[in-house]
Amino acid sequence: MSNIQYLALGVLHRGKLYRNSIVSLVAGRVVIQPFDGEVAQTVFVSGLVAVCDSSRLTSGHRRALTLRVQDAPLLDRAVLRADRYLTSNSLYLGEASEASTPVLLLLPRK
């Protein structure tokens, strides 16, 4: 079975921004690669993908993050807003990957 990969304008992972990158989950691990050409079976996200801890992420967090990204006038502002929210709510995936399960949260822009 093939894993879904996402090409995003920005990937937020553990407080770091990866611009124009491909992100996927492979055997429960986050894989982020710089975009350097077309890749088969890749879904484009015209916005951000945030790597979050699935045990902390609620539907309320999803809605709040979606609004912050969609309402931002520029992509850089969307990154700043999303990063602040993720950090203040401890939603980033923890360093001890054994204790945390990653989830890719798609945050497209309008």
Side-chain angles (χ1 to χ4, degrees):
M1 181 174 182
S2 64
N3 293 319
I4 297 177
Q5 301 181 116
Y6 298 97
L7 167 59
L9 299 176
V11 176
L12 287 167
H13 181 44
R14 293 186 174 145
K16 187 171 179 185
L17 173 65
Y18 299 85
R19 290 194 180 269
N20 298 319
S21 295
I22 296 173
V23 62
S24 62
L25 294 176
V26 178
R29 296 188 64 224
V30 179
V31 177
I32 301 173
Q33 305 168 309
F35 175 69
D36 60 3
E38 294 294 323
V39 180
Q41 298 178 347
T42 301
V43 176
F44 177 68
V45 178
S46 64
L48 306 174
V49 174
V51 181
C52 300
D53 185 334
S54 64
S55 66
R56 296 185 191 129
L57 188 65
T58 66
S59 58
H61 292 311
R62 290 174 188 266
R63 283 190 302 275
L65 280 162
T66 298
L67 289 174
R68 279 169 174 72
V69 170
Q70 288 181 348
D71 291 346
L74 301 170
L75 182 63
D76 288 341
R77 179 64 72 182
V79 169
L80 182 62
R81 288 178 179 180
D83 179 59
R84 283 182 181 164
Y85 188 87
L86 290 162
T87 301
S88 66
N89 288 282
S90 301
L91 297 177
Y92 278 121
L93 186 66
E95 290 293 328
S97 58
E98 300 84 34
S100 304
T101 303
V103 63
L104 301 179
L105 178 59
L106 308 182
L107 300 167
R109 305 231 329 121
K110 285 185 180 178

